[in-house]
Amino acid sequence: MNEAQEATSPATSLSGPATCVSKVELRVSCKALLDRDTLNKSDPCVVLMVQNNGQWIEVRTEVIKSNLHPVFAKVFGLDYYFEEVQKLRFEVYDIHGTHSIGTRDDDFLGGMECTLGQIVAQKKMIKPLLLKYGKYAGKSTITVHAEEISGNNGYVELSFCAKKLDDKDLFSKSDPFLEIFRMNDDGTEQLVHRTEVIKNNLNPVWEPFKVSLISLCSCDEERKLKCLVWDYDSRGKHDFIGEFYATFREMQNEVSWDCLNPKYKQKKRNYKNSGVVILSDLKVGIIYSFLDYIMGGCQIHFTVAIDFTASNGDPRNSCSLHYINPYQPNEYLKALIAVGEICQDYDSDKRFSALGFGARIPPNYEVSHDFAINFNPEDDECEGIQGVVEAYQNCLPKIQLYGPTNVAPIINRIAKVAAGDGNIKDASRYHILLILTDGVVTDMADTREAIVRASYQPLSIIIVGVGNADFTDMQILDGDDGVLRSPKGEPVLRDIVQFVPFRDFKTASPAALAKCVLAEVPGQVVEYFSHKAISPMSPMRELLTPILSPVATTPTE
């Protein structure tokens, strides 16, 4: 923090990629609704049921009179969380009267259930409406459009300097810094940025800085900005040098402003200015969010890798971590299903790679640390999460649990696949590798090396520790406590590993586990594509197109 920032409150600045939580707007329309009225057409209304903490919350559109193909003006605004299954139910009614909707006086025209993740992944979802017992409501359909409305849509990089500023010091020259405020609609001022202090200089050149367009001007080119120049004082009593006003539109056309002190202008007859502030450079770009990439068509390819080492115990024994209880899934299945159910919404073909390590496998029963649990080396994918579950259950009687716990081979394998996708040079695919293990890895040096290599690819790694082993050493792989390095000291390019012990979530819901292990994925996706300067395949920034250059750039300073 520089001296000016120590002396006064910190400025709002663009400090990182888009957060994993976004606001999403849903717009709804229907086609070919059933006509339940005798004299007129149906008067439809859509009721949206949103599941929140196990409770269903109801919101609704307006009623459109006599219309079987309604387009509703009401917009549903929802918080979007990648790491949660957010269940939604849309119900369409023909409304009779002004009483509460959904009573027996109203006619149910059909409903549709889905998740918010499914809508976001498709951007535009069209579904048939179903009556009770799964019967189709004729040819009736409902269309739901999703659009992200989160704040960090774009950024501007500004470079300011000044000439011939007033000298406020007796024995040295001024120590100037610049502040920029956004003028809000309610008359308040919001500090946008404060530059560093340039010591003893009347012709300062301040460091370039980036700020989001939301912070700078609320994406309004005509919003007034108030810019103040001060002479820094270590006691906080900064001397005012001058000010000027500009809009973002003016900044794109003008390059200099007179820095004026109103008191001097009022008192001094020949007063011209207290110096000139110059905008020496302005660069504008888009900050893409996770939803930009997903809604642009990026597919999340999900791979699970399961630990079949002997420390898990004989699967035929009820004490084994791999024991198949017909009444309750084991920890491996619980973790697999919790994470897989989130990821499946973002993969169009719903086929998932399922691998195993640490077992002797048929036909020769040699130890393998990288095998397809469906025993098809040509195609290790399973149909849906249920297909992975079935492949897991079917392979257990056919293998011999052995060891050691080596995970580097599988990380290298998936990183190689991801590297092949990276050669495509677009944002069409990203990989998530879920590793389920009951112990600390025995090839730690190779694993660290593999993770460093993998950090350069479109890949995130989630490790869930099952059982009651001491997983302290596994925290090394999670970069939250410091930068992970290879045995040779090379740091990871990105923090791509999240480690979680399953026992921390034994009494929690599957959603809580999924939320924890997937929370960092959206930021990792954005970070990878931003580092590569790869734009979404279908950018979602129509509103900002007139002011933003359509290029992907790293959203960090």
Side-chain angles (χ1 to χ4, degrees):
M1 183 178 292
N2 63 53
E3 292 170 305
Q5 289 171 321
E6 289 175 341
T8 50
S9 59
T12 300
S13 64
L14 186 65
S15 59
T19 59
C20 60
V21 182
S22 300
K23 293 285 188 181
V24 175
E25 286 187 344
L26 302 182
R27 291 174 169 80
V28 182
S29 61
C30 298
K31 289 280 189 182
L33 293 178
L34 296 176
D35 192 353
R36 298 299 197 190
D37 290 351
T38 304
L39 301 177
N40 276 315
K41 297 177 182 177
S42 295
D43 303 327
C45 171
V46 173
V47 177
L48 171 59
M49 310 291 288
V50 182
Q51 193 177 55
N52 185 22
N53 295 325
Q55 303 294 318
W56 288 95
I57 299 172
E58 178 183 303
V59 287
R60 62 190 67 171
T61 66
E62 73 280 16
V63 177
I64 296 182
K65 291 289 186 180
S66 191
N67 195 323
L68 302 183
H69 311 283
V71 178
F72 297 95
K74 168 74 175 181
V75 177
F76 298 119
L78 302 176
D79 288 337
Y80 163 75
Y81 300 84
F82 168 74
E83 65 274 15
E84 295 182 15
V85 174
Q86 295 175 267
K87 294 182 180 179
L88 307 178
R89 175 168 176 79
F90 295 85
E91 297 179 347
V92 186
Y93 291 91
D94 175 19
I95 304 303
H96 301 286
T98 58
H99 50 266
S100 62
I101 294 173
T103 65
R104 53 187 171 179
D105 290 334
D106 297 323
D107 294 315
F108 179 58
L109 302 181
M112 179 270 286
E113 292 185 359
C114 63
T115 67
L116 183 56
Q118 290 169 337
I119 299 174
V120 165
Q122 298 181 35
K123 195 165 61 176
K124 176 183 178 182
M125 174 181 279
I126 303 176
K127 285 273 198 175
L129 289 174
L130 299 178
L131 299 172
K132 293 181 179 179
Y133 311 112
K135 181 181 178 181
Y136 286 100
K139 296 182 179 179
S140 302
T141 61
I142 184 169
T143 300
V144 185
H145 289 264
E147 183 176 23
E148 185 193 9
I149 56 170
S150 62
N152 287 337
N153 292 315
Y155 74 88
V156 57
E157 181 175 333
L158 301 169
S159 301
F160 281 99
C161 64
K163 299 288 186 183
K164 299 181 179 179
L165 294 178
D166 284 353
D167 192 351
K168 295 292 184 177
D169 294 343
L170 291 176
F171 304 107
S172 64
K173 297 177 182 176
S174 295
D175 306 321
F177 67 93
L178 171 68
E179 289 182 324
I180 299 177
F181 290 84
R182 183 186 72 230
M183 310 298 287
N184 296 322
D185 293 334
D186 60 1
T188 60
E189 300 175 359
Q190 175 65 53
L191 180 62
V192 173
H193 183 78
R194 181 182 295 112
T195 69
E196 75 282 8
V197 174
I198 304 295
K199 288 284 192 177
N200 196 32
N201 197 325
L202 302 181
N203 302 291
V205 178
W206 291 291
E207 288 290 327
F209 62 91
K210 292 180 181 179
V211 62
S212 69
L213 282 169
I214 287 290
S215 295
L216 181 67
C217 61
S218 302
C219 294
D220 176 5
E221 292 184 277
E222 302 299 338
R223 185 174 297 276
K224 186 173 289 188
L225 303 172
K226 181 179 180 180
C227 305
L228 305 177
V229 181
W230 301 87
D231 172 27
Y232 172 77
D233 181 85
S234 59
R235 297 166 298 176
K237 297 180 179 180
H238 311 304
D239 292 319
F240 178 66
I241 295 177
E243 65 185 15
F244 65 94
Y245 292 83
T247 65
F248 182 56
R249 182 181 293 278
E250 290 170 350
M251 285 184 173
Q252 296 173 79
N253 299 313
E254 296 184 30
V255 294
S256 66
W257 296 265
D258 286 333
C259 186
L260 301 174
N261 187 321
K263 289 184 179 179
Y264 291 174
K265 189 175 182 180
Q266 198 172 37
K267 292 180 179 179
K268 297 181 179 181
R269 181 179 299 178
N270 297 322
Y271 176 76
K272 184 178 180 183
N273 59 47
S274 294
V276 176
V277 177
I278 301 165
L279 179 58
S280 55
D281 195 16
L282 181 151
K283 297 176 183 176
V284 186
I286 295 173
I287 299 171
Y288 293 121
S289 71
F290 174 69
L291 280 190
D292 284 323
Y293 289 102
I294 292 299
M295 296 172 77
C298 181
Q299 296 290 306
I300 303 292
H301 185 79
F302 177 62
T303 299
V304 61
I306 300 173
D307 181 344
F308 291 109
T309 56
S311 55
N312 285 278
D314 188 337
R316 295 169 294 183
N317 190 316
S318 61
C319 295
S320 170
L321 291 170
H322 282 304
Y323 178 70
I324 302 300
N325 185 329
Y327 303 104
Q328 183 178 1
N330 61 36
E331 290 188 10
Y332 279 97
L333 286 175
K334 286 179 180 177
L336 163 64
I337 293 170
V339 178
E341 281 189 341
I342 299 289
C343 297
Q344 67 180 354
D345 285 347
Y346 303 91
D347 191 324
S348 60
D349 66 7
K350 302 293 185 286
R351 303 187 79 240
F352 309 111
S353 298
L355 308 173
F357 59 94
R360 287 173 165 171
I361 64 172
N364 299 323
Y365 287 93
E366 295 176 345
V367 177
S368 174
H369 299 292
D370 176 11
F371 65 92
I373 65 173
N374 64 3
F375 300 112
N376 182 355
E378 303 301 321
D379 184 5
D380 59 26
E381 293 187 330
C382 304
E383 294 291 339
I385 297 302
Q386 186 57 38
V388 177
V389 171
E390 292 171 359
Y392 164 71
Q393 293 173 333
N394 291 336
C395 87
L396 279 171
K398 301 174 183 177
I399 62 174
Q400 295 176 2
L401 274 60
Y402 202 70
T405 309
N406 293 348
V407 301
I410 280 180
I411 294 176
N412 287 329
R413 170 178 177 158
I414 303 305
K416 185 176 180 180
V417 174
D421 292 345
N423 292 332
I424 300 172
K425 305 301 182 187
D426 64 21
S428 60
R429 203 167 177 88
Y430 192 89
H431 293 258
I432 294 177
L433 170 60
L434 171 64
I435 299 175
L436 305 175
T437 179
D438 82 317
V440 177
V441 299
T442 49
D443 62 340
M444 185 63 78
D446 290 341
T447 297
R448 286 163 52 201
E449 180 71 33
I451 291 171
V452 170
R453 301 275 77 78
S455 69
Y456 288 81
Q457 308 306 333
L459 171 64
S460 292
I461 301 171
I462 297 164
I463 305 175
V464 176
V466 299
N468 296 314
D470 182 359
F471 292 113
T472 304
D473 291 345
M474 295 291 281
Q475 302 291 349
I476 299 171
L477 303 178
D478 191 323
D480 291 345
D481 297 327
V483 177
L484 177 70
R485 295 179 181 272
S486 72
K488 297 179 181 179
E490 181 184 353
V492 289
L493 177 67
R494 303 179 296 123
D495 177 14
I496 63 169
V497 177
Q498 176 78 346
F499 173 77
V500 176
F502 184 85
R503 60 173 171 261
D504 291 353
F505 295 87
K506 252 187 174 179
T507 59
S509 67
L513 172 66
K515 181 177 181 179
C516 178
V517 299
L518 292 172
E520 296 181 7
V521 169
Q524 291 169 357
V525 172
V526 172
E527 188 178 14
Y528 172 77
F529 289 122
S530 296
H531 177 76
K532 292 287 187 178
I534 297 175
S535 304
M537 293 189 292
S538 300
M540 292 291 295
R541 296 299 185 215
E542 292 85 353
L543 179 64
L544 296 173
T545 298
I547 29 176
L548 297 183
S549 56
V551 293
T553 46
T554 305
T556 53
E557 294 189 45

